[in-house]
Amino acid sequence: MTMESIGLAPSTLVFIILGLTLAAFMWGRFRYDLVALAALLGSVMLGLVPTDEAFKGFGHPAVITVAAVLVISRGFERSGVVDIIANQVLKVGERLLLQLLVLVGTVVVLSGVMNNVGALALLLPVAMRLAREHNTSPSLLLMPLAFGSLLGGLTTLIGTPPNIIIATYRGNITGENFGMFSFTPVGVAVALVGLAFIVLVGWRLTPKRSGQASTEEMFDTANYLVELKVSEESKANGLTLQQLHDELEEAIPVLAVVREDNRRAGYSFHGVLREGDILLLEAGPDELKLLEDKVGLSAIAESEKDEKDSDETDSENADSQPS
């Protein structure tokens, strides 16, 4: 199949492929990477992209740099850096202006040394926790956080993919790339002005969620906090948490792992799961079905939990009896 056989101009075919790709993205029925790959293969089949250059873009410095930055972002998340930042941010108190200054300022700094989308993803749980603990409308923190991540991406070469693309293009044209901090003088100035606007004025323009449901009700997740036990026949037996995520092909964060009454946070658990381990995580009905079908993890029955609590109570009573 070629452009001549179809009878359409190359520009028309390009717009058709772009339109279909955007429609597939908006539909959300298929994975985004599969949609993008299908668009690329379609362009090759129609002769819009030369066959020998079809996958040349995967070797572009921007793609490699963004991939490396995402690896660093996951390292920050897995090493517990996010929890350290969260604990510090939560100490700012109840004043909204101070919360915004610390939260948005933190995401601006992080976006300069890592991908801005990754920095935003890392601080989203912190913002939600702040809103929940201080009974604040989430929109007053989330919208400024999003704009702060965009501002922080302006400050360094790796902060945002467009900076990398521009630097590469300049290198191809003039033979000299932009350096890591070539964007910093202008980027920092813009980021500081934007930070001041967000903290002093911007948040006042953000619409608040209206309705009868209170903030506590919006954040009520008690019904979805579950305990799953690793059995001998479970496929999760012998897997690390990372391997468990790979098997599921979906991000279901494990909050903690309980082994012989010792509880360890999910981010700090680096061993393999064993029979009898209990995973504490937040999941809905669909996620629970996925966990049971793919890795054989099932929720602990209420009778089993009651029996365990009863055994612990009897043990404590026995220890308290005088000899």
Side-chain angles (χ1 to χ4, degrees):
M1 184 183 298
T2 62
M3 291 182 290
E4 289 77 8
S5 62
I6 297 178
L8 296 175
S11 58
T12 303
L13 290 175
V14 169
F15 279 109
I16 291 176
I17 291 178
L18 288 176
L20 292 175
T21 302
L22 290 175
F25 284 156
M26 295 174 61
W27 187 22
R29 178 66 176 81
F30 304 101
R31 285 173 42 177
Y32 298 140
D33 53 348
L34 295 180
V35 173
L37 184 60
L40 174 60
L41 295 178
S43 300
V44 173
M45 294 176 63
L46 292 173
L48 297 173
V49 177
T51 305
D52 57 345
E53 296 183 4
F55 300 101
K56 189 176 180 179
F58 290 102
H60 194 280
V63 177
I64 297 174
T65 304
V66 170
V69 171
L70 291 176
V71 172
I72 295 175
S73 303
R74 176 51 68 93
F76 284 162
E77 181 181 0
R78 300 283 295 179
S79 64
V81 172
V82 180
D83 297 88
I84 296 175
I85 295 174
N87 292 333
Q88 297 301 318
V89 172
L90 291 171
K91 296 178 181 179
V92 299
E94 298 183 358
R95 295 185 58 184
L96 181 60
L97 289 181
L98 190 57
Q99 292 177 12
L100 287 170
L101 179 61
V102 174
L103 191 63
V104 179
T106 301
V107 79
V108 167
V109 174
L110 287 180
S111 296
V113 297
M114 59 188 295
N115 184 268
N116 55 355
V117 178
L120 177 62
L122 292 180
L123 287 178
L124 276 176
V126 181
M128 299 296 282
R129 186 174 170 185
L130 269 175
R132 180 174 65 251
E133 293 194 359
H134 299 290
N135 198 28
T136 304
S137 176
S139 59
L140 296 181
L141 297 177
L142 295 180
M143 187 68 76
L145 185 67
F147 282 111
S149 68
L150 296 176
L151 292 171
L154 302 175
T155 58
T156 63
L157 175 65
I158 65 172
T160 182
N163 288 3
I164 304 171
I165 296 174
I166 289 296
T168 304
Y169 180 77
R170 181 175 186 257
N172 294 335
I173 299 299
T174 66
E176 182 181 356
N177 288 324
F178 285 118
M180 176 68 177
F181 300 103
S182 297
F183 296 88
T184 302
V186 176
V188 168
V190 174
L192 290 177
V193 173
L195 177 62
F197 176 82
I198 291 173
V199 173
L200 298 177
V201 181
W203 68 272
R204 304 177 191 274
L205 306 177
T206 304
K208 298 181 181 179
R209 177 185 288 272
S210 59
Q212 298 181 355
S214 64
T215 304
E216 292 183 358
E217 291 172 344
M218 287 191 297
F219 287 112
D220 184 15
T221 58
N223 294 332
Y224 300 95
L225 195 63
V226 296
E227 294 180 350
L228 303 180
K229 189 172 184 179
V230 180
S231 63
E232 183 179 359
E233 298 80 10
S234 173
K235 189 176 180 180
N237 190 9
L239 298 181
T240 64
L241 292 184
Q242 183 57 51
Q243 291 171 336
L244 179 65
H245 291 156
D246 294 340
E247 288 287 338
L248 295 173
E249 299 180 353
E250 184 173 336
I252 303 179
V254 177
L255 304 180
V257 178
V258 181
R259 176 178 294 172
E260 299 177 354
D261 297 330
N262 294 323
R263 176 177 298 188
R264 295 188 61 182
Y267 67 84
S268 64
F269 182 86
H270 303 296
V272 297
L273 297 173
R274 303 175 184 171
E275 179 185 357
D277 287 350
I278 297 175
L279 276 61
L280 181 66
L281 49 82
E282 192 174 319
D286 294 337
E287 288 81 5
L288 287 176
K289 188 176 186 304
L290 179 67
L291 287 163
E292 184 172 2
D293 293 342
K294 285 200 170 185
V295 292
L297 291 175
S298 57
I300 299 178
E302 291 295 329
S303 59
E304 184 178 348
K305 293 172 65 176
D306 293 341
E307 181 180 352
K308 179 181 178 182
D309 294 339
S310 177
D311 292 341
E312 292 178 353
T313 303
D314 293 341
S315 177
E316 292 176 358
N317 291 338
D319 293 339
S320 62
Q321 293 294 329
S323 56

